[in-house]
Amino acid sequence: MKIAILGGGNGAYAAAADLAQAGHTVRLWRRDAAALQPLVDAGSIELKDADGTRDVPLALASADIGAVLRDAALIVIPSPATAQADIARQMAPHLENGQVVFLPPGTFGSVVMSRIARQAGARADVAWAETGTLPYLARKHGERTINVTIRAVRLPTGVYPARKASEALAVIRAAYPSVHGCGDALSGALMNAGPIIHPPLIVLNAAPLQHFERWDIHNEGTQPAVRAVTDRLDQERIRVREALGYGAPHYPLADHYANDRWMYGDAHKKLVKSGDWREHIDLHRHRYITEDTELGLAFLASVARWAGSDAPIAEGLLAIVGGFLGRDLRAGPRTLEALGLATMSRAALLRLLHEGE
């Protein structure tokens, strides 16, 4: 299958290497042409995982988004949600009928990017989908080397518009067999693990993160008090899903720590053992703040407000992060209020999610 990967981060490089290794025709686009040049020169990505290290050839690595998107059946965008608006505008003129865009994860980006692409002139009949996490726990080990610690074994995915779910999921499964449908785009967005796991780890480790040059929030930063807050926040997410009528499995984050039933299977010990997450985290610029808190957690809190579901942990974490950022995160750009959806009835929003705008 012809697959386009858009992005230059850990997830994009992991997706490009992994899907090319699986035999797909993979083309990778990155906005930063200079940073992409090592891949252009080599024609490959170096993939490291439990099976060792090897070079994986790519069909194309290019800063020309049109060349990368041309005739692609599947477009995978593992980039942070903060990059989605710019990517949507750049891809808009090049989208083609029948293409499927997969956001792992999306932060409700399936609806947001569709809207932005249409405003930028896109007229192609495209399906958008989003899941709860990246398909990989991965970190770069060099300018063209990606180390994959673990691959997802379950990827609950929502499709926008939901009327296209059957055909969209079939295309995505050809690349990611672990994908399974979980309903519409709002259901998919409420599977997003980043806004659940990262904001408590950031807030409750803020002092050591600012004191030490490198700190592992998943190792010494994950203590019983932190886990207790994370579990309570995740219970708020699940209550919102239930209030909106979305059924199980909800993939409670507790399974990430306790057993092998979560999206990555039994991953937490491998994540800690790898050492790749002992890193410097800037409390103002890191994506755990800019993506998972300012966008993702604010989105969750806004959906809870709209659904009439109490979410004091989510609101409290937003208030604390807003305290050190110096702004009210309840008015963030990814909230239902900012998206003009908060005044819709449930029936009207469900109709929009099924039919599209």
Side-chain angles (χ1 to χ4, degrees), residues 50 137 149-151 256 264-277:
L137 290 175
T149 299
I150 200 163
R151 293 166 174 84
H256 169 68
Y264 289 126
D266 187 9
H268 184 67
K269 292 177 182 177
K270 293 180 180 178
L271 183 152
V272 171
K273 184 180 179 181
S274 74
D276 277 354
W277 279 261

Side-chain angles (χ1 to χ4, degrees), residues 46-320:
E46 186 177 69
L47 173 63
K48 297 170 63 177
D49 60 14
D51 293 329
T53 302
R54 61 272 191 202
D55 263 2
V56 180
L58 300 179
L60 177 68
S62 174
D64 180 349
I65 195 169
V68 169
L69 290 177
R70 190 174 301 119
D71 298 329
L74 177 63
I75 302 165
V76 183
I77 308 178
S79 298
T82 50
Q84 288 173 351
D86 181 55
I87 293 174
R89 284 188 287 267
Q90 294 202 47
M91 68 193 295
H94 308 287
L95 289 171
E96 302 170 7
N97 288 334
Q99 290 180 318
V100 176
V101 182
F102 184 42
L103 311 176
T107 318
F108 209 46
S110 51
V111 173
V112 172
M113 291 188 74
S114 171
R115 180 182 287 182
I116 293 171
R118 193 169 57 255
Q119 291 169 347
R123 294 295 177 265
D125 186 15
V126 173
W128 304 76
E130 59 183 273
T131 189
T133 189
L134 279 169
Y136 316 92
L137 290 175
R139 283 291 187 269
K140 290 180 181 176
H141 282 187
E143 56 189 10
R144 69 174 195 91
T145 301
I146 187 70
N147 183 57
V148 175
T149 299
I150 200 163
R151 293 166 174 84
V153 295
R154 303 172 186 89
L155 288 170
T157 299
V159 176
Y160 177 73
R163 59 184 171 80
K164 291 180 172 291
S166 178
E167 54 264 43
L169 290 170
V171 170
I172 301 168
R173 280 197 202 101
Y176 293 107
S178 55
V179 159
H180 69 85
C182 70
D184 58 34
L186 181 55
S187 177
L190 291 173
M191 288 292 192
N192 194 347
I196 306 302
I197 191 170
H198 294 137
L201 289 174
I202 290 292
V203 169
L204 297 172
N205 285 278
L209 284 171
Q210 289 194 318
H211 178 74
F212 296 106
E213 178 61 27
R214 298 165 71 83
W215 183 256
D216 191 337
I217 58 175
H218 298 286
N219 189 5
E220 54 267 73
T222 302
Q223 299 299 328
V226 181
R227 280 290 323 284
V229 173
T230 303
D231 286 347
R232 289 287 298 277
L233 177 61
D234 200 39
Q235 288 163 15
E236 293 178 358
R237 175 190 68 89
I238 292 172
R239 284 200 300 270
V240 172
R241 287 184 53 81
E242 291 173 340
L244 295 175
Y246 297 124
H250 301 297
Y251 291 96
L253 192 61
D255 287 348
H256 169 68
Y257 297 97
N259 55 57
D260 63 356
R261 295 194 298 271
W262 201 62
M263 298 182 211
Y264 289 126
D266 187 9
H268 184 67
K269 292 177 182 177
K270 293 180 180 178
L271 183 152
V272 171
K273 184 180 179 181
S274 74
D276 277 354
W277 279 261
R278 185 169 298 282
E279 57 187 341
H280 175 69
I281 293 179
D282 186 315
L283 293 185
H284 290 259
R285 297 181 179 86
H286 197 277
R287 72 172 187 83
Y288 293 167
I289 292 292
T290 59
E291 178 181 25
D292 292 330
T293 307
E294 292 191 73
L295 298 184
L297 188 59
F299 171 78
L300 172 61
S302 77
V303 178
R305 291 192 297 271
W306 177 75
S309 183
D310 194 28
I313 303 296
E315 296 284 2
L317 289 168
L318 281 175
I320 293 170

